[in-house]
Amino acid sequence: GVCRVIEEKCTECGQCVDGCPVTALELPKVSSAETTVAEATENETVKPQQQDKPAEKAVQLKGELAAYQGVWVFIEQREGIVAPVSLELLGAGRQLADKLGVELCGVLLGDQVSGLVNMLYEYGADKVYLAEHPLLHFYRTETYMKIFVELVQQYKPEIILMGATTTGRDLAGAVATDLATGLTADCTGLDIDLEQRLLLATRPAFGGNIMATILCKKHRPQMATVRPKVMKMAAPVPGRRGELIISEVNLQEEKLLTKVLEIVKEQGEQVNLQEAEIIVAGGRGLGDRENFRKLCFGLAEAIGGKVGASRAAVEAGWIEQKYQVGQTGVTVAPKIYFALGISGAIQHLVGIRGSDIIIAINSDPEAPIFKECTYGIVGDVFTIVPLLIEQLKEKGG
Ligand code: FAD
């Protein structure tokens, strides 16, 4: 997933740099001793660096970047309940911090949330930055961004991780924009290049056709968001403790541009596919809405699972979008994932790779899903699924 200029063929004309739609190219001969890689700075157009003394600039840049140390995880909480993704990210962040030999820090913002701090140490944080204020009770981009940015400017972390939730996505974008740094959204893998001391943020790109590893070489902090359930939550260590840094918060309601008037809870059925242990998902192969409902809901009910769907099934209007699994739907990690009449497009597969067992039923033996599944049944869903339902019902689920 790394774009690069072929050095032997490069005439340094710069046309490829100007023409690249994703500003992923640099000229190798003028970019000091570094290798040319995809640049993750979404806020900046990378221009060919024809300015004077590039070596001097590189040294200065290196010095500035080295001032940034440590891995931070934004601890998202609502009404004093920590979002599970934040704990998952403490686990992922711990591994990155250990590789770099730096501290892992949780950043907790809210109103009377100090009771959560010990739990964060137990899930791996060495340090917690705590900012409490009544005006931080409800999430507001303005307040959270202000406090978070101030903390970054004061303590200079090299990496910041946030959950790709509604709140996390909003805050990450706002913070990255304000700090003019790079943000890689919806990462499916995180690692460290120790030689260059860089975060390797991997995510599907170009409609999921390639996996791109994105680097942020010239800006700090390096930011990434990760969807819930992509990283496995580490086991907590009861009694583990760390250091608490309490941050002073200076906020005044009258100076804020946004007001929270009312919090309205979503009505209707809550679909929590991310937490489901068994998912029965259906695709275009189920033919029509009636069959989709009969087979997916029938099997889900018989086995005690939840229903999911491919985008094709959602687009056909057989089920609502909130049931969609995949790149533009939810990422799931059940114990068992049934894929009924689903071909296994990459955009679907990226959402189900955390499943322990994938069982695919598809009439086409060449369907890509068979390369990913644990158990594959080549056959007609209309024959197999009713038999399965019958057997499960006989056995009492
Ligand atoms: P198809 O690919 O049409 O597959 C239907 C399958 O059913 C076939 O393999 C066929 O052999 C089988 N079949 C037919 N009849 C039977 C039968 N009687 N018994 C058994 N098997 C049968 N897709 C997602 O799912 N989630 C996403 O989040 C998502 N995001 C996307 C984002 C982008 C940017 C793009 C470009 C695409 C995205 N897609 C997503 C769409 C994705 O590329 C596929 O088009 C989609 O997943 C196909 O759905 P499907 O497998 O149900 O349908």
Side-chain angles (χ1 to χ4, degrees), residues 207 283-285 310-312 324-329 341-345 347-348 361-364 367 379-382:
R284 204 194 315 262
S310 73
R311 184 158 108 173
Q324 183 178 314
V325 175
Q327 190 183 321
T328 39
I342 291 178
S343 60
Q347 297 88 354
H348 190 80
I361 306 176
N362 196 306
S363 51
D364 175 8
D380 185 2
V381 281
F382 302 114

Side-chain angles (χ1 to χ4, degrees), residues 220-295:
R220 290 292 177 275
Q222 305 160 86
M223 294 185 62
T225 63
V226 179
R227 289 198 208 177
K229 288 283 178 186
V230 171
M231 304 290 169
K232 287 237 180 310
M233 198 184 289
V237 179
R240 188 178 180 278
R241 291 294 172 261
E243 186 187 348
L244 180 63
I245 313 277
I246 297 175
S247 168
E248 219 173 273
V249 180
N250 189 3
L251 290 171
Q252 285 147 311
E253 181 73 63
E254 54 280 7
K255 289 201 177 151
L256 300 176
L257 298 173
T258 48
K259 310 257 173 273
V260 178
L261 300 179
E262 194 187 353
I263 302 287
V264 183
K265 291 235 162 82
E266 195 184 351
Q267 298 292 312
E269 195 204 344
Q270 298 286 318
V271 189
N272 196 355
L273 283 180
Q274 282 157 5
E275 302 298 328
E277 299 220 321
I278 301 177
I279 295 173
V280 179
R284 204 194 315 262
L286 295 175
D288 58 31
R289 184 186 162 89
E290 199 186 317
N291 279 316
F292 181 93
R293 301 232 145 216
K294 201 164 81 189
L295 298 185

Side-chain angles (χ1 to χ4, degrees), residues 2 26 61 84 243 274 308 355 366 393:
V2 174
E26 280 178 14
L61 184 69
E243 186 187 348
Q274 282 157 5
S355 311
E366 302 297 324
K393 280 193 173 154

Side-chain angles (χ1 to χ4, degrees), residues 129-133 136 146-147 150-151 154-155 245-251:
Y129 293 99
L130 174 69
E132 287 185 304
H133 193 280
L136 296 174
K146 178 178 182 295
I147 303 298
E150 282 172 6
L151 283 168
Q154 189 174 354
Y155 297 103
I245 313 277
I246 297 175
S247 168
E248 219 173 273
V249 180
N250 189 3
L251 290 171

Side-chain angles (χ1 to χ4, degrees), residues 183-210:
L183 163 66
T184 308
D186 288 355
C187 297
T188 51
L190 297 171
D191 205 349
I192 297 290
D193 176 340
L194 260 184
E195 224 166 86
Q196 300 190 81
R197 213 184 160 83
L198 284 171
L199 175 69
L200 302 171
T202 303
R203 57 153 296 149
F206 296 107
N209 290 315
I210 59 163

Side-chain angles (χ1 to χ4, degrees), residues 19-39:
C20 179
V22 290
T23 61
L25 291 172
E26 280 178 14
L27 291 184
K29 291 180 186 160
V30 290
S31 59
S32 76
E34 296 170 321
T35 34
T36 305
V37 292
E39 180 73 22

Side-chain angles (χ1 to χ4, degrees), residues 7-25:
E7 250 178 84
E8 308 82 71
K9 298 197 174 167
C10 177
T11 58
E12 294 182 36
C13 69
Q15 277 189 29
C16 61
V17 177
D18 292 338
C20 179
V22 290
T23 61
L25 291 172

